PDB file of all heavy atoms in Angstrom:
ATOM      1  N   PHE Q 323     -68.940   1.011  67.279  1.00 21.00           N
ATOM      2  CA  PHE Q 323     -69.871  -0.045  67.650  1.00 21.00           C
ATOM      3  C   PHE Q 323     -69.147  -1.245  68.226  1.00 21.00           C
ATOM      4  O   PHE Q 323     -69.554  -1.825  69.198  1.00 21.00           O
ATOM      5  CB  PHE Q 323     -70.681  -0.452  66.409  1.00 21.00           C
ATOM      6  CG  PHE Q 323     -71.517  -1.658  66.632  1.00 21.00           C
ATOM      7  CD1 PHE Q 323     -72.617  -1.607  67.464  1.00 21.00           C
ATOM      8  CD2 PHE Q 323     -71.183  -2.853  66.020  1.00 21.00           C
ATOM      9  CE1 PHE Q 323     -73.388  -2.728  67.674  1.00 21.00           C
ATOM     10  CE2 PHE Q 323     -71.959  -3.971  66.221  1.00 21.00           C
ATOM     11  CZ  PHE Q 323     -73.064  -3.910  67.052  1.00 21.00           C
ATOM     12  N   ASP Q 465     -75.690 -10.005  80.170  1.00 86.00           N
ATOM     13  CA  ASP Q 465     -76.391  -9.311  79.099  1.00 86.00           C
ATOM     14  C   ASP Q 465     -76.497 -10.172  77.837  1.00 86.00           C
ATOM     15  O   ASP Q 465     -76.731  -9.666  76.762  1.00 86.00           O
ATOM     16  CB  ASP Q 465     -75.635  -8.014  78.785  1.00 86.00           C
ATOM     17  CG  ASP Q 465     -76.527  -7.016  78.070  1.00 86.00           C
ATOM     18  OD1 ASP Q 465     -77.762  -7.197  78.110  1.00 86.00           O
ATOM     19  OD2 ASP Q 465     -75.993  -6.079  77.471  1.00 86.00           O
ATOM     20  N   HIS Q 466     -76.290 -11.474  77.992  1.00 90.00           N
ATOM     21  CA  HIS Q 466     -76.300 -12.357  76.837  1.00 90.00           C
ATOM     22  C   HIS Q 466     -77.566 -13.210  76.845  1.00 90.00           C
ATOM     23  O   HIS Q 466     -78.300 -13.241  77.831  1.00 90.00           O
ATOM     24  CB  HIS Q 466     -75.074 -13.279  76.864  1.00 90.00           C
ATOM     25  CG  HIS Q 466     -73.775 -12.547  76.946  1.00 90.00           C
ATOM     26  ND1 HIS Q 466     -73.312 -12.003  78.131  1.00 90.00           N
ATOM     27  CD2 HIS Q 466     -72.853 -12.267  76.014  1.00 90.00           C
ATOM     28  CE1 HIS Q 466     -72.146 -11.416  77.908  1.00 90.00           C
ATOM     29  NE2 HIS Q 466     -71.837 -11.554  76.628  1.00 90.00           N
ATOM     30  N   GLN Q 487     -76.688 -14.424  71.540  1.00 88.00           N
ATOM     31  CA  GLN Q 487     -76.625 -12.996  71.258  1.00 88.00           C
ATOM     32  C   GLN Q 487     -76.065 -12.272  72.478  1.00 88.00           C
ATOM     33  O   GLN Q 487     -76.131 -12.784  73.592  1.00 88.00           O
ATOM     34  CB  GLN Q 487     -78.010 -12.439  70.926  1.00 88.00           C
ATOM     35  CG  GLN Q 487     -78.990 -12.515  72.082  1.00 88.00           C
ATOM     36  CD  GLN Q 487     -80.412 -12.181  71.662  1.00 88.00           C
ATOM     37  OE1 GLN Q 487     -80.875 -12.657  70.635  1.00 88.00           O
ATOM     38  NE2 GLN Q 487     -81.094 -11.382  72.462  1.00 88.00           N
ATOM     39  N   GLY Q 488     -75.535 -11.099  72.230  1.00 90.00           N
ATOM     40  CA  GLY Q 488     -74.957 -10.346  73.342  1.00 90.00           C
ATOM     41  C   GLY Q 488     -74.378  -9.038  72.860  1.00 90.00           C
ATOM     42  O   GLY Q 488     -74.618  -8.622  71.728  1.00 90.00           O
ATOM     43  N   PRO Q 489     -73.641  -8.378  73.698  1.00 90.00           N
ATOM     44  CA  PRO Q 489     -73.017  -7.116  73.305  1.00 90.00           C
ATOM     45  C   PRO Q 489     -71.845  -7.361  72.354  1.00 90.00           C
ATOM     46  O   PRO Q 489     -71.372  -8.495  72.282  1.00 90.00           O
ATOM     47  CB  PRO Q 489     -72.520  -6.541  74.647  1.00 90.00           C
ATOM     48  CG  PRO Q 489     -72.310  -7.757  75.506  1.00 90.00           C
ATOM     49  CD  PRO Q 489     -73.321  -8.779  75.064  1.00 90.00           C
ATOM     50  N   PRO Q 490     -71.354  -6.370  71.655  1.00 86.00           N
ATOM     51  CA  PRO Q 490     -71.816  -4.978  71.640  1.00 86.00           C
ATOM     52  C   PRO Q 490     -73.217  -4.856  71.036  1.00 86.00           C
ATOM     53  O   PRO Q 490     -73.548  -5.557  70.114  1.00 86.00           O
ATOM     54  CB  PRO Q 490     -70.789  -4.274  70.753  1.00 86.00           C
ATOM     55  CG  PRO Q 490     -69.638  -5.194  70.654  1.00 86.00           C
ATOM     56  CD  PRO Q 490     -70.182  -6.569  70.817  1.00 86.00           C
ATOM     57  N   ARG Q 491     -73.996  -3.931  71.582  1.00 78.00           N
ATOM     58  CA  ARG Q 491     -75.332  -3.690  71.064  1.00 78.00           C
ATOM     59  C   ARG Q 491     -75.623  -2.192  71.041  1.00 78.00           C
ATOM     60  O   ARG Q 491     -74.982  -1.415  71.750  1.00 78.00           O
ATOM     61  CB  ARG Q 491     -76.372  -4.417  71.906  1.00 78.00           C
ATOM     62  CG  ARG Q 491     -76.560  -3.861  73.296  1.00 78.00           C
ATOM     63  CD  ARG Q 491     -77.722  -4.570  73.994  1.00 78.00           C
ATOM     64  NE  ARG Q 491     -77.307  -5.828  74.605  1.00 78.00           N
ATOM     65  CZ  ARG Q 491     -77.813  -7.003  74.290  1.00 78.00           C
ATOM     66  NH1 ARG Q 491     -78.721  -7.098  73.345  1.00 78.00           N
ATOM     67  NH2 ARG Q 491     -77.404  -8.082  74.896  1.00 78.00           N
ATOM     68  N   THR Q 492     -76.559  -1.852  70.199  1.00 68.00           N
ATOM     69  CA  THR Q 492     -77.076  -0.487  70.170  1.00 68.00           C
ATOM     70  C   THR Q 492     -78.583  -0.592  70.302  1.00 68.00           C
ATOM     71  O   THR Q 492     -79.125  -1.688  70.486  1.00 68.00           O
ATOM     72  CB  THR Q 492     -76.746   0.225  68.845  1.00 68.00           C
ATOM     73  OG1 THR Q 492     -77.522  -0.381  67.804  1.00 68.00           O
ATOM     74  CG2 THR Q 492     -75.276   0.113  68.498  1.00 68.00           C
ATOM     75  N   GLU Q 493     -79.242   0.521  70.156  1.00 58.00           N
ATOM     76  CA  GLU Q 493     -80.701   0.490  70.255  1.00 58.00           C
ATOM     77  C   GLU Q 493     -81.298  -0.406  69.178  1.00 58.00           C
ATOM     78  O   GLU Q 493     -82.318  -1.045  69.373  1.00 58.00           O
ATOM     79  CB  GLU Q 493     -81.255   1.916  70.125  1.00 58.00           C
ATOM     80  CG  GLU Q 493     -82.750   2.006  70.346  1.00 58.00           C
ATOM     81  CD  GLU Q 493     -83.241   3.446  70.270  1.00 58.00           C
ATOM     82  OE1 GLU Q 493     -82.403   4.353  70.174  1.00 58.00           O
ATOM     83  OE2 GLU Q 493     -84.462   3.634  70.310  1.00 58.00           O
ATOM     84  N   THR Q 495     -79.333  -2.717  67.098  1.00 67.00           N
ATOM     85  CA  THR Q 495     -78.625  -3.945  66.747  1.00 67.00           C
ATOM     86  C   THR Q 495     -77.974  -4.549  67.971  1.00 67.00           C
ATOM     87  O   THR Q 495     -77.784  -3.894  68.995  1.00 67.00           O
ATOM     88  CB  THR Q 495     -77.501  -3.680  65.718  1.00 67.00           C
ATOM     89  OG1 THR Q 495     -76.502  -2.872  66.336  1.00 67.00           O
ATOM     90  CG2 THR Q 495     -78.020  -2.990  64.490  1.00 67.00           C
ATOM     91  N   GLN Q 496     -77.670  -5.800  67.855  1.00 78.00           N
ATOM     92  CA  GLN Q 496     -76.831  -6.451  68.841  1.00 78.00           C
ATOM     93  C   GLN Q 496     -75.962  -7.452  68.093  1.00 78.00           C
ATOM     94  O   GLN Q 496     -75.993  -7.516  66.874  1.00 78.00           O
ATOM     95  CB  GLN Q 496     -77.667  -7.119  69.910  1.00 78.00           C
ATOM     96  CG  GLN Q 496     -78.762  -8.030  69.405  1.00 78.00           C
ATOM     97  CD  GLN Q 496     -79.698  -8.422  70.529  1.00 78.00           C
ATOM     98  OE1 GLN Q 496     -79.288  -8.592  71.665  1.00 78.00           O
ATOM     99  NE2 GLN Q 496     -80.958  -8.576  70.215  1.00 78.00           N
ATOM    100  N   THR Q 497     -75.192  -8.199  68.812  1.00 87.00           N
ATOM    101  CA  THR Q 497     -74.269  -9.105  68.152  1.00 87.00           C
ATOM    102  C   THR Q 497     -74.800 -10.531  68.220  1.00 87.00           C
ATOM    103  O   THR Q 497     -75.146 -11.013  69.294  1.00 87.00           O
ATOM    104  CB  THR Q 497     -72.877  -9.028  68.815  1.00 87.00           C
ATOM    105  OG1 THR Q 497     -72.437  -7.662  68.797  1.00 87.00           O
ATOM    106  CG2 THR Q 497     -71.879  -9.883  68.068  1.00 87.00           C
TER     107      THR Q 497
ATOM    108  N   ARG Z 156     -87.597 -11.247  71.796  1.00 35.00           N
ATOM    109  CA  ARG Z 156     -87.959  -9.961  72.370  1.00 35.00           C
ATOM    110  C   ARG Z 156     -88.214  -8.938  71.274  1.00 35.00           C
ATOM    111  O   ARG Z 156     -87.489  -8.861  70.300  1.00 35.00           O
ATOM    112  CB  ARG Z 156     -86.823  -9.481  73.267  1.00 35.00           C
ATOM    113  CG  ARG Z 156     -87.152  -8.214  74.023  1.00 35.00           C
ATOM    114  CD  ARG Z 156     -86.019  -7.865  74.949  1.00 35.00           C
ATOM    115  NE  ARG Z 156     -84.748  -7.787  74.250  1.00 35.00           N
ATOM    116  CZ  ARG Z 156     -83.588  -7.657  74.849  1.00 35.00           C
ATOM    117  NH1 ARG Z 156     -83.535  -7.620  76.154  1.00 35.00           N
ATOM    118  NH2 ARG Z 156     -82.467  -7.592  74.154  1.00 35.00           N
TER     119      ARG Z 156
END
Side-chain angles (χ1 to χ4, degrees):
Chain Q
F323 172 70
D465 200 17
H466 304 78
Q487 64 190 45
R491 69 174 84 240
T492 70
E493 186 177 353
T495 66
Q496 51 191 325
T497 305
Chain Z
R156 186 176 54 188

